[in-house]
Amino acid sequence: MRRARPWLIGLTVALSSLAGWAVVIEPGQVTIRSSEIAPARWPASLSGTRIALLGDIHTGAPHISPDKLRAIVAETNAANPDVVVLLGDYVIHGVVGGDFVAPEITAEILAGLRAPGGVTAVLGNHDWWYDGPRVRRALEARGIVVLENAARSVRLPAGTVWLAGLADLWTRQPDIAGSLATVPSGAPVILLTHSPDVFPDVPLRVTLTLAAHTHGGQVRIPPFRAPVVPSRFGSRYAAGHVVESGRHLFVTTGVGTSILPVRFAVPPEVALLTLR
């Protein structure tokens, strides 16, 4: 038998290591990722407001057990956010290696989140593919406000912020104008949506749009973009802070995984935004 070439052995070891990282290590390394954003219409009196974003939790996906979610909630609370927003997809739907967790269990854990401005949620496509009304009831039974084409005011020590939440783009009928109908003219308003694909239709009066859904593509080979992003805009709204025509969007890469329990160069996160 010919002796294996050293470069072939090295390549095999390297690929095996990368695969192990993508499947075993990175998907479980959920961290608090801090960013600062300065939207043009954010009031100076509210400068320093901290918003924690949890999206695509997918409890029951590999690496996101109920115990893991409890740890994530504790870490989020330790970051002392002023407001917590939940951006949809609390359940799993066919993820490889997953173990379904009832939405009532997830809601019970998420009820442990603490912030002066409370916890506000929208639902995602996986929630509706499973049982949207049940997911909503589970969250509301635990004191979490769920918005669908509606808005609410949140009182903070420094002033009032409005949160408007959209229906899921993939499974429902989002109504941006209807969501903003009760928001006073000129008031600071943050729009919550599961999918970022609504962003081109968001009016200038919205101070900031927050979204999830994309998982950042889950896999990216630097320096290239993620090859697969569940968006009709490709990688345009894959992750992070986007500014278009004076409007601001932030897309979190999310907590869990979908379809395949793999992440590479797209680490899971709880995004912590400080608005200046």
Side-chain angles (χ1 to χ4, degrees):
M1 180 183 295
R2 282 187 169 183
R3 181 177 298 176
R5 295 182 179 180
W7 67 266
L8 183 58
I9 295 175
L11 179 61
T12 301
V13 171
L15 291 176
S16 298
S17 298
L18 292 176
W21 174 269
V23 175
V24 178
I25 300 176
E26 185 170 315
Q29 292 191 326
V30 183
T31 59
I32 305 293
R33 194 172 305 277
S34 300
S35 302
E36 289 197 0
I37 295 179
R41 292 171 304 284
W42 189 249
S45 61
L46 289 168
S47 182
T49 298
R50 292 153 61 86
I51 303 177
L53 287 63
L54 286 80
D56 303 300
I57 293 170
H58 292 296
T59 314
H63 309 97
I64 307 298
S65 66
D67 284 343
K68 178 70 170 182
L69 182 56
R70 289 187 184 92
I72 292 169
V73 166
E75 291 177 16
T76 302
N77 289 340
N80 296 315
D82 296 297
V83 177
V84 176
V85 298
L86 307 177
L87 297 174
D89 279 3
Y90 309 99
V91 299
I92 60 172
H93 190 267
V95 63
V96 174
D99 184 13
F100 180 79
V101 174
E104 291 79 10
I105 294 175
T106 296
E108 178 184 6
I109 298 169
L110 293 175
L113 289 163
R114 296 287 180 264
V119 183
T120 304
V122 294
L123 301 189
N125 55 295
H126 283 268
D127 304 314
W128 286 106
W129 285 340
Y130 169 64
D131 187 339
R134 178 178 173 181
V135 175
R136 179 168 188 161
R137 287 194 303 270
L139 293 170
E140 291 180 334
R142 291 293 178 173
I144 296 171
V145 177
V146 180
L147 298 177
E148 184 177 52
N149 296 332
R152 66 178 298 216
S153 62
V154 173
R155 291 187 178 276
L156 299 175
T160 298
V161 178
W162 282 81
L163 301 178
L166 291 183
D168 175 56
L169 177 65
W170 283 37
T171 59
R172 308 285 280 174
Q173 294 293 325
D175 181 359
I176 297 175
S179 299
L180 300 173
T182 61
V183 179
S185 177
V189 55
I190 296 173
L191 185 67
L192 313 181
T193 174
H194 180 61
S195 171
D197 282 13
V198 302
F199 187 57
D201 299 320
V202 173
L204 192 62
R205 68 172 296 201
V206 171
T207 312
L208 174 64
T209 300
L210 303 178
H213 180 64
T214 64
H215 297 228
Q218 284 192 189
V219 174
R220 184 175 71 86
I221 309 299
F224 304 104
R225 296 174 176 176
V228 179
V229 178
S231 166
R232 63 189 177 95
F233 296 100
S235 60
R236 179 173 164 184
Y237 305 137
H241 186 201
V242 178
V243 181
E244 291 183 355
S245 302
R247 298 168 303 122
H248 291 254
L249 165 71
F250 189 92
V251 183
T252 176
T253 61
V255 172
T257 53
S258 181
I259 303 177
L260 295 176
V262 173
R263 281 186 181 265
F264 187 81
V266 189
E269 67 178 14
V270 172
L272 183 66
L273 304 184
T274 300
L275 304 188
R276 300 293 184 188

